[in-house]
Amino acid sequence: MSELASEPFDTAPAPCGRAGERAIGTVPGEADRAQRESALSGPVLAIVGATGAVGSTMLEIIDARPSVPWGEIRLIASPRSAGRVLRVRGEDRTVQALAPEVFDGVDIAMFDVPDEVSAQWAPVAAARGAVAVDNSGAFRMDPDVPLVVPEVNADAVTHRPKGIIANPNCTTLSMMAVMGALHREFDLKELVVASYQAASGAGQVGIDRLYAELAAVAGKQVGVRGGDVAETLAAAGLGAESPFPAPLALNVVPWAGSLKDDGWSSEELKVRNESRKILGIPDLKVSATCVRVPVVTTHALAVHARFAREVAVEDARKVLAAQPTVVLRDDAAAGQWPTPADTVGGDPTWVGRIRQALDFPNTLELFVCGDNLRKGAALNTYEIAETVAAAL
């Protein structure tokens, strides 16, 4: 799900029950009553993976909204989590076990679960009449599944032959609001990107490992000799079970994802392939280098973007300043630019360090930051769901 790992999740369908029995996590009459109420008060939203890392962020986002369009919100997770009670918008809601019948009467089902769970269950939800909005990588490059960033290609939500809409990878998402706005004005042709990806992109295990490494090196004079950071971590009992292929504390690691052909990582190929699909530029030239950095949450990207039309820095600033989900922070003389420490925990994409490339015509250099757990995962998924709901 993006690059973020989630809680373990059973992939086998939960038993539907014999005649006279009810499915685990449901209450007799509850589904019928909810369907009647939703017909009067709004569509029914299901959140699959509600107890995981991104699912929890999703609930925070829903709670923070001044208003929501939903007549009912159903919380769904693995049988292991069924029965838990979570409070959403001031009401206690019981988590239901994932099973086919929990999608009956659901209008939109958001999936915040691993790829293999989405691959199995999103089609089940669609077959039961729901629009599945999936945050995993299972469907992103399926030609019959739109890959959506509402600020860029909201109209794509109406073309969903399989009843499924995909949410992009968090690294790609971190720059899409910015690049989509610039593309509309200046016609994007090439992207060269270096990402600086936070530890939380590797899930809770990544966060825990970074904090443990920082504690191990704190107060020690290390980082002055080759191998001394690794030695310090080993002495503190932090062995090779790390989610990162090298120490992350006091270091940067030029790798994120899994190994693909010709030395590319999966994260780098996602940036290329997903940017083309979201922006609707199938021949867009893209090259990416993905780097893991010792930041807890918020990805950053240094972007080199070439356009077909002439683009002045001031014109680009005006375009970006007009975007409701973008924060322009670009005053180098005053030391004002985006950083993960400023961006984390917020919804907007931050952009700055906008410069005209010295040796490349029609080309901008810029720096972008986006919270990879919010806009990079939960927030964009939720915004897709709201976009669909508005069209129902």
Side-chain angles (χ1 to χ4, degrees):
M1 40 185 306
S2 297
E3 66 159 335
L4 183 72
S6 79
E7 64 164 358
F9 208 106
D10 295 331
T11 57
C16 295
R18 296 185 298 273
E21 296 181 339
R22 63 182 177 90
I24 298 174
T26 62
V27 177
E30 184 177 88
D32 291 339
R33 182 173 66 254
Q35 289 180 45
R36 290 194 301 271
E37 292 172 352
S38 69
L40 298 175
S41 56
V44 177
L45 175 71
I47 303 172
V48 184
T51 59
V54 177
S56 298
T57 302
M58 186 79 69
L59 299 184
E60 293 174 7
I61 290 168
I62 292 173
D63 277 342
R65 285 295 212 247
S67 63
V68 296
W70 317 114
E72 179 195 352
I73 298 173
R74 295 185 194 175
L75 307 183
I76 301 168
S78 67
R80 180 169 52 86
S81 297
R84 289 180 56 184
V85 176
L86 302 178
R87 196 161 184 82
V88 185
R89 297 193 68 83
E91 294 184 17
D92 289 338
R93 302 175 191 268
T94 301
V95 176
Q96 301 183 43
L98 182 60
E101 61 269 21
V102 299
F103 297 109
D104 291 345
V106 169
D107 296 291
I108 300 169
M110 299 189 302
F111 284 77
D112 295 307
V113 294
D115 290 14
E116 64 274 12
V117 181
S118 286
Q120 180 174 355
W121 286 97
V124 172
R128 295 263 174 162
V131 177
V133 182
D134 180 39
N135 189 36
S136 82
F139 301 99
R140 287 178 187 146
M141 299 315 298
D142 187 321
D144 290 327
V145 174
L147 186 64
V148 174
V149 179
E151 299 96 318
V152 180
N153 63 340
D155 290 349
V157 301
T158 61
H159 177 70
R160 46 177 195 265
K162 294 185 175 181
I164 300 170
I165 301 169
N167 191 60
N169 175 262
C170 54
T171 311
T172 309
L173 256 174
S174 295
M175 64 175 174
M176 275 299 107
V178 168
M179 298 317 303
L182 294 175
H183 171 56
R184 287 192 295 271
E185 292 292 327
F186 307 112
D187 191 8
L188 182 64
K189 293 298 180 184
E190 296 179 7
L191 273 178
V192 180
V193 177
S195 73
Y196 307 90
Q197 295 179 218
S200 59
Q204 187 62 46
V205 65
I207 297 173
D208 294 344
R209 176 69 185 204
L210 176 58
Y211 279 135
E213 290 189 6
L214 291 173
V217 302
K220 298 181 173 61
Q221 298 298 312
V222 294
V224 296
R225 174 179 57 81
D228 63 353
V229 173
E231 291 168 5
T232 301
L233 298 183
L238 298 175
E241 70 281 359
S242 171
F244 311 118
L248 193 57
L250 306 180
N251 202 18
V252 298
V253 182
W255 189 259
S258 57
L259 179 62
K260 300 299 181 181
D261 291 344
D262 300 320
W264 293 97
S265 78
S266 57
E267 285 287 301
E268 291 159 351
L269 296 181
K270 288 173 187 176
V271 171
R272 177 177 183 262
N273 297 332
E274 294 180 16
S275 295
R276 289 175 163 186
K277 186 172 181 180
I278 296 163
L279 294 168
I281 316 173
D283 59 349
L284 180 66
K285 295 180 179 179
V286 183
S287 185
T289 299
C290 291
V291 181
R292 189 76 69 183
V293 297
V295 169
V296 176
T297 297
T298 294
H299 289 350
L301 299 97
V303 180
H304 171 100
R306 185 180 73 81
F307 300 90
R309 295 192 285 273
E310 183 177 351
V311 51
V313 168
E314 203 51 47
D315 290 338
R317 286 189 181 127
K318 289 178 181 177
V319 168
L320 295 172
Q323 305 307 308
T325 61
V326 172
V327 172
L328 176 64
R329 190 177 219 188
D330 192 26
D331 188 347
Q336 297 293 312
W337 42 65
T339 70
D342 293 316
T343 306
V344 64
D347 293 343
T349 300
W350 289 45
V351 61
R353 292 299 324 277
I354 304 172
R355 296 147 286 151
Q356 171 65 55
L358 297 177
D359 299 314
F360 304 91
N362 303 342
T363 302
L364 294 177
E365 312 289 348
L366 52 135
F367 193 75
V368 181
C369 293
D371 187 312
N372 54 294
L373 298 185
R374 292 184 72 85
K375 183 58 178 176
L379 176 63
N380 197 73
T381 305
Y382 183 73
E383 289 172 338
I384 294 170
E386 283 196 333
T387 302
V388 174
L392 291 176

